[in-house]
Amino acid sequence: MGPPLVGVTPIFAISFWGYDLGKRLVYSATPNRSDAKLSVAELAIAGGFSAIPATLVAGPAERVKVLLQVQGQGSGGVVYKGPFDVVRSLYKQGGLKSIFRGTGATLGRDGPGSAAYVLAGYFVAYELVKDALKPANSDQLSVPAIITAGACAGVAMWSIALPADTVKSKLQSASEGTYKGVVDCVRKTWGESGWRGFYHGFGPAMARAVPANAATFLGVELAINAMDKFF
């Protein structure tokens, strides 16, 4: 629980900041647009852009989390005393490269997962469902509508992102030398289990996606409304 609790605040803060920055970049690239509302493709670009800065924090945090979660399983004993011990041990093994192992796979997961290229992406799904639930004469969403849109965003993202997340977790939890890189991990996973090997844990991922992302977007919307009032 330690790494997620420490890492979740900067990860989500940077992710939503990146999404807003991505939208600003789209607007700056299309100064003569006739409609202020972004298209699905433009939302996808902004969502995909948000993954780039967030991954710099998410990659190492997920590496530490995964190692702590898998230790003690099978024949392996408890190796690490806590998050700081993991970081210290990884740095001794291979420096910053070891700490950031799997960051490329994390970007592969979060980039396509956030943008999703058409309708099923994280921010895209949220915006589409939010617009569909928005009252005709108001921009204010009810709490149930925000929760519903957030839950749909989570399901959409993880439906697409799970294969990349599986590869990322394998890279981050494996001992040195198990995989040569992302391509090698993909090839070995396919050889062992076929396409099903990339969807292990689909049920728990979906069970987590609904409440976690509903809470995330509710927190964001409430925070924005509060800051609008006070600032």
Side-chain angles (χ1 to χ4, degrees), residues 75-125:
S75 59
V78 175
V79 180
Y80 307 107
K81 299 176 182 178
F84 294 107
D85 188 38
V86 175
V87 174
R88 184 167 54 249
S89 298
L90 292 177
Y91 189 78
K92 287 182 179 179
Q93 292 172 16
L96 290 176
K97 183 178 179 181
S98 181
I99 295 174
F100 279 84
R101 188 206 294 175
T103 298
T106 302
L107 181 60
R109 176 197 70 179
D110 292 345
S114 295
Y117 300 121
V118 189
L119 295 176
Y122 190 52
F123 289 108
V124 174

Side-chain angles (χ1 to χ4, degrees), residues 223-231:
I224 290 174
N225 288 337
M227 285 186 284
D228 283 342
K229 291 180 180 179
F230 289 105
F231 300 104

Side-chain angles (χ1 to χ4, degrees), residues 62 66 70 105 109 164-174:
E62 295 243 349
V66 168
V70 301
R109 176 197 70 179
D165 185 67
T166 298
V167 173
K168 173 201 71 72
S169 297
K170 284 193 170 189
L171 283 171
Q172 291 178 326
S173 62

